[in-house]
Each structure stands twice: as C-alpha cells, then as structure tokens.
Amino acid sequence: MERITLQLGLLVVLIFILVSYIYSLYKSKKLKFNLFFLILIISIFYMLFDGITVLFVNDVIKVSRLTNIIFHALFLLSISSVYKKVAEF
C-alpha cells in the first residue's frame, strides 16, 4: 500500500477538483462540460490505472508476467488513443 500513496493522494486531489468544478457548474446553471471536464475525467481514470500498474510491477511474485504485460499494453494504447482524440478536439 505504501507504494501507491502518491497515486492515491493525487486521486483525492483530482476528485476534489472534479467535485468543485461540477458544483460550480451547477451553481452557475451552466451545465456545459468542456475540454477541462474531459481532461479531469481522463486524469482520474489514469490515476486509477497507474495505481494498478504500480501494484502489478511491484508484486511480480503474485501477478503473472502476462497480466503485467497486458495491463501495461492497455495503458500505453489508451494513452495513445486519448492523445489522438484530444488533438482532434
């Protein structure tokens, strides 16, 4: 658990920013989600994914090598696809 404290701390900060942003949109009656909202959602997803990959890398004995490779490949492929989508936006 001490290996993913950075990811958990950043995840808490990102969720706080997300809740504050949604609350401010709700109070101003402008429920329009823009690129900032998209980046917040994606960054929360990647913090979760980063925590999972950190656990997999550090617990090589418990996690099979194939599972580790699959999760890292999915992580890298999703970064590439999100980068292309944001560049189109």
Side-chain angles (χ1 to χ4, degrees), residues 7-25 36-37 40-41 43-45 47:
Q7 286 82 3
L8 288 176
L10 188 55
L11 186 63
V12 168
V13 170
L14 287 172
I15 289 174
F16 175 75
I17 292 171
L18 178 67
V19 169
S20 299
Y21 181 68
I22 291 173
Y23 181 73
S24 69
L25 287 178
F36 180 71
F37 180 75
L40 269 175
I41 296 296
S43 62
I44 289 172
F45 170 74
M47 275 299 102

Side-chain angles (χ1 to χ4, degrees), residues 20-33:
S20 299
Y21 181 68
I22 291 173
Y23 181 73
S24 69
L25 287 178
Y26 178 74
K27 289 293 266 187
S28 67
K29 309 247 190 260
K30 295 180 183 177
L31 294 176
K32 179 184 173 190
F33 299 112

Side-chain angles (χ1 to χ4, degrees), residues 35-59:
L35 183 62
F36 180 71
F37 180 75
L38 178 67
I39 291 172
L40 269 175
I41 296 296
I42 291 171
S43 62
I44 289 172
F45 170 74
Y46 281 119
M47 275 299 102
L48 289 171
F49 218 124
D50 188 36
I52 291 170
T53 54
V54 165
L55 286 175
F56 283 0
V57 166
N58 290 322
D59 291 332

